[in-house]
């Protein structure tokens, strides 16, 4: 009897062990890895390119009718006409650096500051004047300092305020602007060709952040962003020359056409360079994800 009970106990134990071996093993719980939330906070640097065009009153034709002027034979009357619209538009390109701070990751208010420097190609046709009448001076070149001809570069230092919808940022911007340089003004008195001028700018834009592993991310930055932006720029030119000037390569002389026997003129002096820039840009962001 004892042997029977012992055998039954051993058999029951072996059966329990076998049954336990057949049970599924309990897997370890998966490790939870939170997806990082994108933020615009961080430094960035990039490039841009676009198109600029003048918005000032110089977009009207400037006409000067002359008599008893060195330009024409004694007693003759003629005219000099500029079409400044052709001279106040062209390519704009350069680079920018800045810093953004986003108050709440994901979606939220973003503030920042940005500085840029731009090359401008305005004024390639600025001195194309139509001369009506028989010229009394050979090799004449006309200069109109009141177009955007005196601008080879400009830059801005601006604040930015916007709202981020995750990876899309809509913003307004404004601040300080400067510019200078210029073409050949033939040594005009009080010339503004190389003067450093200051003013202000305002505008806005929209920017989108590509995924970190974007094929454009050559520098392994935390994000690559693309933007489209528009700026209005107003630069003071209080020291601009008054009038249209003529230069003779034959004699090396320069004179103010508007003070040399003017009968009538459609010339309007301008006290500022005003233009709009529309550009696209690419930035590399370094900092938080």
């Amino acid at each position: 009897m004892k042997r029977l009970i012992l055998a039954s106990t051993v058999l029951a134990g072996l059966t329990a062990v076998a049954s336990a071996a057949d049970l599924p093993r309990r897997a370890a719980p998966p490790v939870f890895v939170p997806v990082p939330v994108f933020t615009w906070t961080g430094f960035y640097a990039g490039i841009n390119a676009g198109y600029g065009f003048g918005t000032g009153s110089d977009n009207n034709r400037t006409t000067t009718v002359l008599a008893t002027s060195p330009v024409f034979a004694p007693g003759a009357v003629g005219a000099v006409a500029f079409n400044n619209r052709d001279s106040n538009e062209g390519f704009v390109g350069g680079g920018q650096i800045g810093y953004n701070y986003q108050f709440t990751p994901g979606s939220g208010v973003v503030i920042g500051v940005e500085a840029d420097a731009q090359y401008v190609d305005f004024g390639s046709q600025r001195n194309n004047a139509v001369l009506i009448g028989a010229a009394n001076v050979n090799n004449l070149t006309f200069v109109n300092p009141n177009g955007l001809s005196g601008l080879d570069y400009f830059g801005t230092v601006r604040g930015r305020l916007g709202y981020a919808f995750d990876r899309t940022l809509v913003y307004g911007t404004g601040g300080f602007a400067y510019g200078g340089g210029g073409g050949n003004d033939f040594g005009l008195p009080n010339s503004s060709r190389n003067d450093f001028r200051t003013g202000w700018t305002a505008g806005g834009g929209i920017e989108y952040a590509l995924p970190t592993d974007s094929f454009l991310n050559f520098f392994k930055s935390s994000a690559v962003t693309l933007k489209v932006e528009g700026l209005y720029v107003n630069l003071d030119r209080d020291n601009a020359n008054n009038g249209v000037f003529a230069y003779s390569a034959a004699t090396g002389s320069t004179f103010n056409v508007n003070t040399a026997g003017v009968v009538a003129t459609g010339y309007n002096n301008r006290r500022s360079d005003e233009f709009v820039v529309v550009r696209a840009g690419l930035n590399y962001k370094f900092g938080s994800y």
Side-chain angles (χ1 to χ4, degrees):
M1 186 65 179
K2 291 181 180 180
R3 291 181 179 178
L4 181 59
I5 294 174
L6 180 60
S8 299
T9 302
V10 172
L11 180 62
L14 293 174
T15 303
V17 171
S19 299
D22 293 335
L23 291 176
R25 296 183 179 181
R26 180 176 296 177
V31 178
F32 176 72
V33 179
V35 178
V37 179
F38 181 79
T39 175
W40 287 87
T41 298
F43 290 94
Y44 62 88
I47 57 175
N48 68 77
Y51 197 78
F53 50 91
T55 61
S57 60
D58 63 309
N59 285 338
N60 299 319
R61 181 177 290 275
T62 299
T63 304
T64 300
V65 180
L66 308 171
T68 64
S69 168
V71 175
F72 302 104
V77 177
V80 177
F82 286 83
N83 187 353
N84 290 327
R85 180 174 296 278
D86 292 337
S87 67
N88 294 334
E89 57 187 45
F91 171 80
V92 174
Q96 68 275 339
I97 59 173
Y99 179 81
N100 289 321
Y101 179 80
Q102 184 171 345
F103 290 94
T104 55
S107 296
V109 175
V110 177
I111 61 173
V113 61
E114 180 174 296
D116 63 54
Q118 307 291 130
Y119 163 78
V120 296
D121 186 22
F122 297 156
S124 59
Q125 304 296 322
R126 66 184 179 274
N127 291 330
N128 283 5
V130 177
L131 179 63
I132 303 171
N136 191 39
V137 181
N138 295 325
N139 300 322
L140 277 178
T141 300
F142 292 93
V143 182
N144 183 2
N146 294 282
L148 291 178
S149 60
L151 192 66
D152 283 340
Y153 68 89
F154 81 93
T156 69
V157 179
R158 297 171 281 108
R160 301 208 311 172
L161 174 63
Y163 192 88
F165 301 90
D166 192 25
R167 289 179 172 267
T168 301
L169 173 64
V170 180
Y171 63 90
T173 183
F176 173 76
Y178 63 90
N184 191 354
D185 286 350
F186 308 107
L188 300 181
N190 301 316
S191 175
S192 61
R193 64 174 289 210
N194 291 316
D195 289 348
F196 182 83
R197 306 194 295 278
T198 60
W200 59 276
T201 182
I206 184 170
E207 193 165 359
Y208 178 74
L210 300 174
T212 305
D213 59 355
S214 166
F215 73 95
L216 292 174
N217 197 355
F218 307 112
F219 303 106
K220 306 300 180 183
S221 62
S222 58
V224 177
T225 69
L226 304 176
K227 71 174 182 178
V228 177
E229 182 177 70
L231 289 178
Y232 168 80
V233 182
N234 186 301
L235 297 177
D236 181 46
R237 352 174 355 119
D238 282 341
N239 62 347
N241 287 291
N242 293 325
V244 175
F245 291 78
Y247 170 79
S248 172
T251 63
S253 59
T254 302
F255 59 90
N256 190 331
V257 171
N258 289 72
T259 61
V262 173
V263 175
T265 180
Y267 163 78
N268 293 316
N269 188 30
R270 295 181 59 241
R271 291 301 182 188
S272 63
D273 279 336
E274 303 169 51
F275 57 97
V276 171
V277 172
V278 179
R279 61 190 182 184
L282 180 148
N283 287 321
Y284 289 92
K285 174 181 171 294
F286 301 91
S288 304
Y289 175 80

